Every structure is written in structure tokens, then in C-alpha cells.
Amino acid sequence: MVYERIAGEIRQRIARGELRPGDRVPSTREITARWGVAMATATKVLAALREEGLVHAVAGVGTVVSQPGFTTPPVVKDDLTADAVVRTALAIADSEGLAALSMRRIATRLGVAAMSLYRHVPGKDELVVRMIDTAFGAVPLPPASGGWRDRLEAVARLEWGLFSRHPWLAGAISMTRPTLLPNAVAHTEWIMQALDGQGLTAEEALHAAVTLFGFVRGVAVNLEHEAEQRQHTGITEDEWRARQAGAMRSLVASGRFPMFSRVVGSEVDMDLGTLFEFGLARMLDGFGEWISGRATLG
């Protein structure tokens, strides 16, 4: 992986004595500029070196090379709270993905022993549940005003923004065995209330709420994959598409895909945000036809 290669180069400089104890190592901004990687990748570089005990952070200075045998001073027990653990976990997952999250990583970031975290959270699974609920609770739901379509559009955009800020979040939520978290259920309740009075049963309103959420989540699960690809390869989505030009030409030349061939080479926007906007509009159109049909039957 890219971050491992960069960490290896810095590690070798420390081993050769080019960077001595107390010397400042490249910051995340310096790493992004020198190696041409994303900020999240630069963060992983320094995190890996910290976990090995090679570097540590010094307030007002930055990250410096550690003396042999150096250990990060522990946080006073009273200063460690469940909220601090959850928010530290959120920061790690947001920048590096849920796969990079571990109790050890959180403890290292907080400067405490890993076992001390278990006084506040039973384990990683429970921690992820708290992270999900905290993420949903951090953004207030829109005002309950306007027609049902405006309200559903508003909450869908809010959820898209939430998933965009936390790329790991969509993949961490189960649609078949959901954990009933108060801040997440609040979204379901809000949508059901927006549909109240439209001639739907409570069960139908619930299905509509889950279907809308499922659509937003379904597009958003790709956010983490795209972020990981950028971190690990350093290749943007546009650069990746440019590299597929040869394969595209072969598909067109085969003659098997005439409709697809019409758009190959044109400026078709396949950004996830564009797909979200298109799908949301069509879904709300469908809800509108459904609700209008109910009014006619009534």
C-alpha cells in the first residue's frame, strides 16, 4: 500500500540516523505535497509510525522522532470518557476507513492503555454501534415544513451529506438486521410523519421510509470504496476512466453494445453525487404517482 511505502522511507531515515530523536518528521501536509498523496494517506503514515513507537506528537512542535523506549504519557483516568473514545474512533474511521479502526489505534491516539478503553465501551462492535448513533445524532433533522415531497427530498439530502462526511457509515448499517438506535429511528419517524395524511397505512409509510433510506445508503456504500482506491493507488476517478480508454474502444468495436456505444467518449457524468440526484428525483416521482393513485381511489 502507498502509506506503507512512505512510512518505510521515513522509517529507513530514522534507522540511518538522518532523523534523530527529537527531530521533526514530515507533517501530513508535507507528506501530501512531497509524495502526492491524499491527506488521509498521510495521516495513516504517521499513525503507523506512532504505533511502532518511532514517533510521537509534541504540542506546538509537531510529530518528532522518539527516544528508544519512549512511551506516550497516559491520559489521567478521569479525563477519559466514553464520548472521547467514540469521537476518536469517528475521526479514525472518517480518515482511514472502518477497517483501520481498532481499540489499539484508539488507545494510541488518546495516549492510554488499550485495556482502559473497555471501562467505557465493551468492545469494537458496541463501539461501532455508538459511532453510528453519534453520527446520526450530530446533524439535526430538517424543519417539518412544506409538502411531503419537499420534506422527503430534504431528509434524503441530509442523509447523503451524512454518508459523505462518514464514508464508512453506509457499509456499517444493516438493512436486514438493523440495530434500533434512537437517532437513526428518528429519521424513520420523521419520514413517516411527512407521509401522514397521504392515504397510506402505517405499514406502507414505514416501507416508504425504509425504501428511501435504502436508496440513499445504496449509492453511499460506494463512497468508502472510492476513498480507499484514491488512498491506496493515488489515482483519481477521472484518471482511472482515462486508463480505461482502450477497453472502452474494444467494447465499441465489438458491436455488441450499440446503446452503450452511443455514450462512450461523451462527457457523461457518472459521479456518485450525480447518480444520487438522478435516482432521488426518479424515486420521488414514483412516490408521487403512488400517492396520487391512492387519492384517486379514495
Side-chain angles (χ1 to χ4, degrees):
M1 294 183 181
V2 177
Y3 87 90
E4 292 176 336
R5 175 176 58 79
I6 299 171
E9 292 182 26
I10 298 174
R11 190 183 300 111
Q12 289 175 9
R13 292 184 62 193
I14 295 173
R16 291 195 298 263
E18 295 175 18
L19 290 172
R20 303 178 64 81
D23 287 350
R24 187 172 163 277
V25 300
S27 67
T28 52
R29 292 189 180 279
E30 290 169 336
I31 292 171
T32 59
R34 185 181 304 178
W35 281 277
V37 296
M39 183 63 72
T41 300
T43 301
K44 292 180 73 172
V45 171
L46 296 184
L49 295 172
R50 280 197 300 269
E51 285 193 10
E52 295 173 28
L54 294 175
V55 302
H56 66 278
V58 176
V61 177
T63 302
V64 303
V65 178
S66 301
Q67 291 280 356
F70 173 86
T71 57
T72 304
V75 172
V76 177
K77 178 180 178 180
D78 291 344
D79 290 343
L80 185 62
T81 64
D83 183 67
V85 174
V86 172
R87 295 195 179 280
T88 300
L90 280 168
I92 294 172
D94 289 348
S95 64
E96 303 176 44
L98 200 60
L101 184 67
S102 68
M103 302 301 271
R104 180 184 175 190
R105 285 294 308 281
I106 298 166
T108 299
R109 182 75 66 91
L110 289 170
V112 299
M115 290 304 296
S116 66
L117 302 182
Y118 293 96
R119 292 196 299 268
H120 303 280
V121 290
K124 182 178 176 180
D125 289 345
E126 175 63 25
L127 173 60
V128 171
V129 170
R130 295 190 189 184
M131 290 165 61
I132 295 170
D133 199 44
T134 299
F136 272 92
V139 182
L141 285 159
S145 59
W148 69 264
R149 179 167 181 140
D150 290 340
R151 292 173 66 178
L152 265 59
E153 182 176 349
V155 76
R157 292 189 186 284
L158 181 150
E159 290 168 352
W160 177 253
L162 182 63
F163 287 133
S164 297
R165 285 188 294 276
H166 306 287
W168 57 272
L169 182 57
I173 297 173
S174 172
M175 293 295 294
T176 57
R177 300 185 181 186
T179 302
L180 299 179
L181 303 172
N183 289 323
V185 174
H187 283 238
T188 303
E189 174 70 18
W190 196 93
I191 296 172
M192 292 178 70
Q193 289 187 10
L195 292 170
D196 192 30
Q198 301 301 320
L200 308 179
T201 66
E203 181 179 355
E204 289 171 332
L206 175 61
H207 283 171
V210 173
T211 298
L212 179 64
F213 179 81
F215 159 72
V216 181
R217 174 187 174 275
V219 181
V221 292
N222 298 286
L223 292 168
E224 183 173 32
H225 177 72
E226 175 59 24
E228 289 175 347
Q229 289 300 306
R230 291 192 183 196
Q231 289 178 22
H232 296 164
T233 68
I235 299 173
T236 66
E237 185 177 356
D238 289 339
E239 291 170 337
W240 179 85
R241 292 186 188 284
R243 295 186 181 192
Q244 304 305 308
M248 289 288 190
R249 286 193 294 269
S250 296
L251 288 173
V252 172
S254 72
R256 295 175 56 198
F257 312 104
M259 293 296 293
F260 181 74
S261 297
R262 291 184 188 180
V263 296
V264 171
S266 60
E267 295 297 323
V268 178
D269 188 356
M270 293 296 289
D271 178 78
L272 289 174
T274 301
L275 296 177
F276 164 74
E277 294 291 345
F278 178 86
L280 175 61
R282 302 295 77 75
M283 174 163 284
L284 295 178
D285 288 345
F287 279 6
E289 291 292 329
W290 177 45
I291 290 172
S292 295
R294 283 306 178 89
T296 301
L297 290 175

